[in-house]
Amino acid sequence: MSKPLSLARMLLISTALSAPAAMAQTATDAAPAAGVPTASEEADAQTGNVDISVPGSDIIVTGRRTSNVSQAAPQVVNVLSAADIKRTGEGDIAGSLQRVTGLSVVSGGFVYVRGLGDRYSLALLNGSPLPSPEPLKRVVPLDLFPTSVIASTMVQKSFSANFPGEFGGGVINLTTKAIPVESFLEVTLGSSANTETSGQLGYTHYGSKSDWTGFDDGTRDLPPLLSNAIGSGTPFPNMPRADLRAIAMQFQNADTSVVQRTNSLPFNFSGSLNGGTAVDVGDDGRLGILATASYSNKWRTRDTLQQASLDVGAGAGRNNQQISTENEVTVNGLLGVGLELGDQKMRWTNLYIRDTLKRSAIAIGQNDGQIQGADYLTQQTGWYERQLIDTQMVGEFKLGEAISLDVRGGYANSQREAPYEREFVYVRTNRDLATDPVGDRFVNALNRQRGDASITFSDLNEDLWSAGWDLSYKFSRDLSATIGYAFSDTKRTSSRYELHFDATNLPVPVQQLRPDYLLSDASIQLFDISLLEFSGNYPVYEAAMRTHAGYAQVKASVLPGVSFDAGVRYEKGRQSVTGIDVYDTGVTPFNQIRKDYWLPAVTITVEAAKGLQFRASGSKTIARPQFRELIAQPYLDTESNRFYRGNPFLQDSELWNADLRAEWYMGRDERLIAAAFYKKIKNPIETFTTITDTYAVTTSFANAPEAQLYGAEFEAQKYLPLDRWTDSPFLQSRRIALIGNYTYTQSKLKVSAGDTTIPYSYTTGPLPAASDYFQDGAPLTGQSDHLVNFQIGLEDMDRLSQQTLLLTYASPRVTSRGPNLQPDIKEKPGLTLDFVARQAVLLPGGINSEFKFEARNITGRKFQEFQEAGGNKVFYNRYKIGTTIAASMTVAF
């Protein structure tokens, strides 16, 4: 018999059941003042007394009531509840998500779903889209989001029409904490140490006196003369040399250019403050407020081997050993206000996240493509600020017994600033000094033949407005329908000015000076050191993305035990990238993609027996190029130490998706699931690498003709109470938690004779053959054949006492196509073993607290990115990650 499931009982289903919206925090999550929740209470919180905001909230679930969220949802979903997130012990959501079936996390927070890159995934916050502070991405990196502000995370892998059409692998909806049930206040302090960093040798530079806060004190502001020069529109080569010298003398010198050795790097530190309260309003109203704030200061040192080769079989032609130290400071806060008046609900959520990275690096190596037998010493310093501000309003209104209206609107701004990226290259050779003045000491000739010195200023600003409404009508307990509209408007402005210092007759003793002396005011004036611009004709670009979408969905139970969720979405998108003609060349490059799509989706669920059900789903979705991919502006990614360049000829990708699934739910939070999936992709966007004879490596993007992806997933979760097998008082109240999943994925590009592609270097003439860039049968970039996650834990059901071992494995995956059809560049993620323990501690005065201990990467897995041929390996990046030990204490008042 079909029964409507009340909104309060539908914990975490949210957008999986209807239009995107905000899922909420559980009562036990919101009220630690009542005591630290036990494992049993955290599990109970997933099914009871929950306030969630779901547009189109007339929810009908066929069959019995169930506490398993993924079973009740009409789509294929995985949910990380507050209890799941706490069990992993991760500090950010990206770390927690890598435990979900079919998901892997790549390059510092970008989530890959079922082997598809981050471009095929969609991240939402409370159902609203997010802007990205990353120049290379339109997808926000999820390592920005600390777990302290997130109540739950839902991953939906089968498309439904209420979601945006850019849904290739899946959607990830982050839900912030909501109105607390009762007043609470908690304080958390923590510290951690890494075997490769803490107490070890590292490097840093002074910067400014406020760097520890993550905010510069103005030291790195754009110098006035440079700002005036940029605003004048005069090309740098046309400026008087005296003016260029004056600009060079205004740069902050020693503070931003001198790398200092630190013999013992400090331990990491973090702290947070969370609080909330709620009061009754009238007879049936409730007003609540919740606020969180946190700060963390982390250090990371990498000793990295960097190589490149024109012929992998012959070995590396460039060898570099780089030691880099990064100091990351993160500041974030959340303020939420909610009002409930009977069935009418409104919520206002405000989120602020700021992540700052201060980087110092020294490298030494050889490059046979420049001067054979010479040593190159490279020094780099950088300051990278990422910031996200988001404000959202959500309202749920009951207009009658059968009809409801949900509305939502939001504004978000992201920024990234990278002032004073500095690089100095010194060269040393043993050639005869009579014929080569470089000699056997490191020198910097400032002419890019022997050495180099450069400074780069980058800035990115992105604004995103979004709104939508959903109108739902419940015809009967077995039939409901929703129509809706969604709008989003994104605008981005990005600039990058790269300047190189230039001198024609610099004496060798001056070339041997350290950076701040080399570029001192006296040296600039005495030796006529000037500036050259390497920014290209269009150092500034503007990008925009506007979408309008209308959709309709029907949920129905057609036969006993058989239900379906079907819908169609019409989405009209306009995406453009414009190079700003700052130098009045008379030419303004403009790239635009204007397309509209009909995107159908259907999921059928058959309940075969109690707890046993089968699903089948099919849909069509799309993937659009990302902004920077559409303009040929160079960019250095510090995570991969690689230059990227966009491609103005990219097209949208179109995907056809199918999913078959068998699910057996044995009990609350216990399940056994097997699934198979298939995707066909037209015009997939793939990364490829080019390399010059001087071993300059650049990564770009192009459309391959077609790709196919298929695979299978297996998931199991089981709890074993120990009181069945033992009389031990210690074990009587405890249970063993067994959670595991495995994903097998295969993908291949389809490249036939006559297929063409358009790389960024194309000008005129016949289009290049696709086979010049892509090999038929090659796997998609980012796809691992095997993903394994396993957790085994011991949990106390009466009080918080939880010890968990977590194992994660990902098989090698391609990060980029190899240059000139050489072997692909691959990453070897390997196996990671972590241990997390949580323990309730009663402090004097009856104060409840929680102690957490973590050991990460116990086996000491290394990071390896390489090419391999003829028994030789060329490592683009190889370094030790180290083992991290962390401890924290949370006190609830």
Side-chain angles (χ1 to χ4, degrees):
M1 181 176 179
S2 299
K3 295 182 179 180
L5 191 59
S6 67
L7 186 64
R9 306 290 288 181
M10 290 301 295
L11 174 64
L12 307 178
I13 294 184
S14 176
T15 52
L17 296 178
S18 108
M23 298 181 293
Q25 183 192 19
T26 66
T28 49
D29 238 1
V36 177
T38 66
S40 178
E41 290 170 335
E42 287 181 339
D44 288 337
Q46 298 182 35
T47 57
N49 192 20
V50 179
D51 164 37
I52 59 177
S53 171
V54 184
S57 58
D58 292 315
I59 301 166
I60 296 177
V61 176
T62 301
R64 62 184 178 83
R65 291 188 177 186
T66 174
S67 61
N68 287 296
V69 176
S70 58
Q71 180 183 7
Q75 303 292 339
V76 177
V77 301
N78 290 97
V79 175
L80 276 177
S81 66
D84 297 326
I85 294 171
K86 289 179 178 179
R87 182 183 287 114
T88 67
E90 299 285 356
D92 60 68
I93 287 299
S96 298
L97 281 171
Q98 68 182 339
R99 317 290 179 181
V100 174
T101 308
L103 269 62
S104 56
V105 179
V106 181
S107 299
F110 295 100
V111 175
Y112 285 39
V113 181
R114 289 175 166 175
L116 290 173
D118 59 273
R119 72 174 65 255
Y120 298 103
S121 300
L122 180 68
L124 305 175
L125 183 68
N126 297 327
S128 294
L130 287 165
S132 176
E134 291 294 334
L136 265 179
K137 308 289 185 179
R138 205 157 27 84
V139 181
V140 64
L142 296 182
D143 62 344
L144 270 180
F145 294 89
T147 54
S148 61
V149 302
I150 301 299
S152 61
T153 304
M154 184 202 70
V155 181
Q156 181 171 317
K157 300 175 185 175
S158 60
F159 177 63
S160 53
N162 53 283
F163 279 117
E166 290 191 79
F167 187 115
V171 66
I172 299 162
N173 189 35
L174 310 177
T175 303
T176 53
K177 294 180 177 180
I179 302 174
V181 173
E182 60 185 57
S183 299
F184 76 98
L185 177 66
E186 63 179 22
V187 178
T188 301
L189 295 175
S191 182
S192 65
N194 179 272
T195 56
E196 294 296 315
T197 301
S198 307
Q200 304 296 318
L201 179 144
Y203 293 99
T204 187
H205 62 282
Y206 179 75
S208 77
K209 60 184 178 182
S210 63
D211 284 1
W212 66 273
T213 66
F215 294 84
D216 178 71
D217 65 359
T219 298
R220 298 181 178 89
D221 288 350
L222 197 67
L225 289 180
L226 178 60
S227 179
N228 293 338
I230 291 173
S232 71
T234 303
F236 276 66
N238 296 345
M239 295 181 187
R241 199 168 178 90
D243 290 352
L244 295 174
R245 289 199 305 268
I247 293 173
M249 286 189 292
Q250 273 201 347
F251 292 140
Q252 289 292 331
N253 196 9
D255 291 348
T256 63
S257 66
V258 177
V259 172
Q260 304 171 24
R261 174 172 170 168
T262 301
N263 291 324
S264 180
L265 290 171
F267 285 19
N268 304 324
F269 167 80
S270 64
S272 67
L273 178 67
N274 303 315
T277 189
V279 296
D280 292 331
V281 179
D283 295 332
D284 60 351
R286 187 81 169 165
L287 174 67
I289 184 170
L290 182 142
T292 71
S294 68
Y295 167 87
S296 71
N297 193 315
K298 298 186 292 186
W299 295 82
R300 180 179 68 182
T301 294
R302 290 174 172 174
D303 186 352
T304 307
L305 173 63
Q306 299 173 321
Q307 299 176 319
S309 176
L310 298 174
D311 181 2
V312 180
R318 186 192 73 183
N319 284 278
N320 212 39
Q321 196 73 33
Q322 180 189 80
I323 297 179
S324 62
T325 299
E326 298 173 350
N327 181 204
E328 183 180 20
V329 178
T330 303
V331 179
N332 65 76
L334 173 87
L335 176 64
V337 180
L339 177 63
E340 300 177 5
L341 298 173
D343 291 332
Q344 318 307 321
K345 301 179 181 181
M346 290 165 284
R347 182 174 301 155
W348 181 32
T349 304
N350 303 275
L351 179 67
Y352 174 81
I353 299 175
R354 182 182 177 88
D355 177 273
T356 304
L357 189 73
K358 181 179 180 180
R359 183 175 185 268
S360 309
I362 294 239
I364 188 169
Q366 297 80 38
N367 188 335
D368 291 344
Q370 292 181 320
I371 303 175
Q372 291 193 358
D375 294 324
Y376 287 82
L377 176 67
T378 303
Q379 174 193 294
Q380 296 172 329
T381 56
W383 174 264
Y384 307 92
E385 303 173 0
R386 298 185 301 177
Q387 181 174 286
L388 175 65
I389 300 174
D390 186 88
T391 183
Q392 303 174 351
M393 292 287 292
V394 175
E396 303 174 37
F397 306 102
K398 286 286 187 179
L399 306 182
E401 288 295 323
I403 189 168
S404 63
L405 174 67
D406 300 320
V407 296
R408 59 194 178 276
Y411 166 75
N413 170 265
S414 68
Q415 298 179 26
R416 181 187 186 271
E417 294 185 33
Y420 282 95
E421 283 186 272
R422 308 202 70 159
E423 181 177 80
F424 293 84
V425 180
Y426 292 81
V427 184
R428 177 179 66 188
T429 180
N430 292 321
R431 293 182 181 180
D432 188 354
L433 287 175
T435 59
D436 190 333
V438 173
D440 60 357
R441 298 188 65 180
F442 281 110
V443 300
N444 186 305
L446 295 186
N447 63 4
R448 293 154 311 284
Q449 303 281 332
R450 292 283 189 267
D452 194 14
S454 65
I455 185 169
T456 303
F457 294 85
S458 303
D459 185 77
L460 180 149
N461 185 84
E462 184 169 318
D463 295 301
L464 190 155
W465 295 88
S466 62
W469 57 263
D470 301 270
L471 186 65
S472 299
Y473 188 83
K474 182 170 62 177
F475 296 93
S476 68
R477 68 174 62 187
D478 295 328
L479 177 63
S480 67
T482 299
I483 59 172
Y485 166 78
F487 164 79
S488 70
D489 184 34
T490 305
K491 293 183 179 179
R492 170 184 288 191
T493 301
S494 179
S495 64
R496 183 179 186 273
Y497 287 91
E498 179 183 342
L499 305 173
H500 289 247
F501 295 87
D502 179 68
T504 54
N505 294 300
L506 203 62
V508 170
V510 178
Q511 296 178 34
Q512 295 171 351
L513 295 175
R514 75 185 200 188
D516 56 333
Y517 293 161
L518 178 68
L519 296 178
S520 66
D521 290 356
S523 296
I524 290 172
Q525 289 179 310
L526 185 59
F527 302 107
D528 189 27
I529 298 176
S530 184
L531 293 172
L532 300 174
E533 188 190 13
F534 278 47
S535 312
N537 292 330
Y538 304 96
V540 182
Y541 77 85
E542 293 180 346
M545 178 72 193
R546 176 175 293 182
T547 62
H548 295 272
Y551 48 89
Q553 281 183 276
V554 175
K555 304 179 183 71
S557 176
V558 292
L559 295 170
V562 180
S563 62
F564 74 87
D565 182 344
V568 64
R569 182 184 187 90
Y570 173 75
E571 184 166 304
K572 180 179 181 181
R574 175 179 176 178
Q575 181 177 6
S576 64
V577 180
T578 306
I580 305 303
D581 189 15
V582 295
Y583 296 135
D584 297 324
T585 63
V587 179
T588 300
F590 176 72
N591 305 316
Q592 180 176 254
I593 300 176
R594 300 186 66 171
K595 296 197 72 173
D596 56 295
Y597 298 93
W598 287 96
L599 304 174
V602 62
T603 298
I604 299 173
T605 303
V606 178
E607 186 174 357
K610 182 179 180 180
L612 177 64
Q613 63 185 29
F614 299 90
R615 298 184 194 270
S617 63
S619 63
K620 178 185 178 182
T621 56
I622 58 174
R624 296 183 175 98
Q626 304 188 48
F627 287 141
R628 189 174 281 271
E629 294 174 353
L630 285 171
I631 190 166
Q633 186 185 73
Y635 166 71
L636 174 64
D637 178 24
T638 58
E639 183 71 25
S640 61
N641 291 300
R642 187 172 298 150
F643 271 98
Y644 284 81
R645 184 180 292 271
N647 180 359
F649 305 108
L650 293 178
Q651 306 174 48
D652 292 351
S653 303
E654 299 180 30
L655 298 91
W656 289 262
N657 316 283
D659 199 291
L660 291 173
R661 195 171 182 89
E663 305 168 350
W664 179 31
Y665 296 91
M666 301 89 73
R668 187 184 69 181
D669 301 326
E670 295 185 334
R671 57 186 177 269
L672 186 63
I673 296 173
F677 54 88
Y678 172 82
K679 297 178 183 293
K680 181 180 179 181
I681 310 173
K682 179 183 177 183
N683 297 323
I685 299 173
E686 287 284 283
T687 59
F688 68 93
T689 297
T690 59
I691 186 170
T692 68
D693 55 4
T694 60
Y695 298 97
V697 178
T698 300
T699 299
S700 187
F701 314 88
N703 289 103
E706 187 180 304
Q708 292 181 348
L709 180 143
Y710 59 90
E713 294 177 343
F714 303 92
E715 180 181 351
Q717 183 164 325
K718 179 68 177 176
Y719 294 101
L720 304 175
L722 295 178
D723 58 359
R724 300 177 183 177
W725 300 302
T726 179
D727 295 328
S728 167
F730 176 78
L731 298 177
Q732 273 290 305
S733 62
R734 285 173 165 80
R735 66 180 183 181
I736 295 175
L738 298 173
I739 304 171
N741 58 70
Y742 167 71
T743 305
Y744 171 76
T745 310
Q746 288 288 295
S747 64
K748 59 182 180 180
L749 298 177
K750 298 189 70 177
V751 183
S752 304
D755 287 338
T756 60
T757 190
I758 312 179
Y760 74 90
S761 56
Y762 174 77
T763 53
T764 59
L767 295 179
S771 57
D772 291 342
Y773 294 86
F774 308 109
Q775 296 185 27
D776 184 56
L780 289 166
T781 53
Q783 178 252 307
S784 290
D785 289 353
H786 308 281
L787 294 175
V788 179
N789 288 288
F790 179 70
Q791 300 177 34
I792 179 170
L794 185 65
E795 301 178 347
D796 196 316
M797 298 297 292
D798 295 337
R799 62 193 298 268
L800 178 62
S801 180
Q802 191 176 78
Q803 301 82 38
T804 309
L805 273 173
L806 305 100
L807 180 149
T808 300
Y809 170 78
S811 62
R813 54 192 173 216
V814 175
T815 59
S816 179
R817 306 267 78 100
N820 306 323
L821 296 182
Q822 289 191 68
D824 288 335
I825 301 170
K826 296 182 179 180
E827 176 192 347
K828 186 179 180 181
L831 184 147
T832 303
L833 180 65
D834 300 334
F835 174 74
V836 178
R838 300 168 59 212
Q839 182 67 47
V841 179
L842 188 64
L843 299 179
I847 299 176
N848 291 301
S849 66
E850 175 188 332
F851 175 77
K852 183 171 70 173
F853 172 82
E854 304 169 65
R856 302 287 180 183
N857 194 30
I858 297 171
T859 57
R861 174 181 70 89
K862 299 178 181 178
F863 180 89
Q864 300 181 70
E865 186 184 24
F866 58 88
Q867 285 178 290
E868 188 173 15
N872 287 327
K873 273 189 178 181
V874 173
F875 290 95
Y876 277 71
N877 287 288
R878 185 183 69 182
Y879 54 84
K880 294 180 180 179
I881 298 174
T883 299
T884 298
I885 305 297
S888 64
M889 175 74 79
T890 299
V891 180
F893 298 96

